[in-house]
Amino acid sequence: MGAAACKPCQDDDSAATTIKTVPTASPDQVTPVKEAPPVAVTPTTTSSLEGKWQRKPDGVMLGNIRNEQMIWEQVYKHEPSKLTFLSDKKISIFLEGQTYEGEVVGSDATMIRWSDGEMWVKVS
C-alpha cells in the first residue's frame, strides 16, 4: 500500500518524490501482548454505595452494603458477599459459585446494573 503513488503525482514530472516502503513484521514475528487482569481499585464512590438496597422493579429488599460487602437480608440465610471494585464504576460480587459484574449507574451511585440483567436500587 505505501509503495503506490497516486495518479496525479505520476503524471506530474515536477513531483519528483521517492516513495519508500517500510518493512512490516509477519504474523509469526509478532509477540502478542497479554491483557492485564483487572486490578481491584477502591473508587471514590465506595462510601456512596453504603446503605440499603432493593431489587428493581419488584422492590424486594436485598440487604445492606457496608464495608465493601453485601450483608444480605436474613430471609436469604447467606453469609455476607465481598464486593470487588474493578474501576470507579464497575464492581463484582461472588455469589453461589458465580461472579457477577455490575455497573454503578448515576453520579450519586443509586443504582447497580448487574451482568445477569438484575437492577439494584439504593433506598437509604
Side-chain angles (χ1 to χ4, degrees):
M1 181 166 80
C6 66
K7 179 73 174 135
C9 294
Q10 290 174 342
D11 293 341
D12 184 6
D13 289 337
S14 67
T17 304
T18 304
I19 299 174
K20 294 182 180 180
T21 60
V22 178
T24 58
S26 66
D28 60 320
Q29 295 173 318
V30 176
T31 304
V33 177
K34 291 184 179 180
E35 187 173 321
V39 176
V41 176
T42 304
T44 56
T45 59
T46 301
S47 62
S48 64
L49 290 179
E50 293 192 356
K52 292 186 178 281
W53 290 81
Q54 67 183 17
R55 189 172 56 209
K56 186 180 178 183
D58 59 11
V60 171
M61 288 303 301
L62 299 169
N64 190 4
I65 293 179
R66 187 174 51 227
N67 298 324
E68 297 182 12
Q69 60 183 350
M70 174 57 135
I71 301 163
W72 300 98
E73 291 288 316
Q74 287 184 352
V75 68
Y76 297 110
K77 298 178 180 158
H78 198 283
E79 293 294 317
S81 299
K82 174 127 177 72
L83 294 171
T84 302
F85 293 87
L86 305 173
S87 70
D88 63 343
K89 294 289 183 185
K90 298 275 186 188
I91 61 175
S92 70
I93 191 169
F94 186 76
L95 181 63
E96 297 182 352
Q98 266 193 290
T99 299
Y100 299 93
E101 288 190 11
E103 178 184 3
V104 179
V105 180
S107 60
D108 54 356
T110 57
M111 192 178 319
I112 302 172
R113 182 181 307 124
W114 291 100
S115 54
D116 65 351
E118 196 165 275
M119 296 283 285
W120 292 5
V121 179
K122 186 176 177 185
V123 293
S124 68

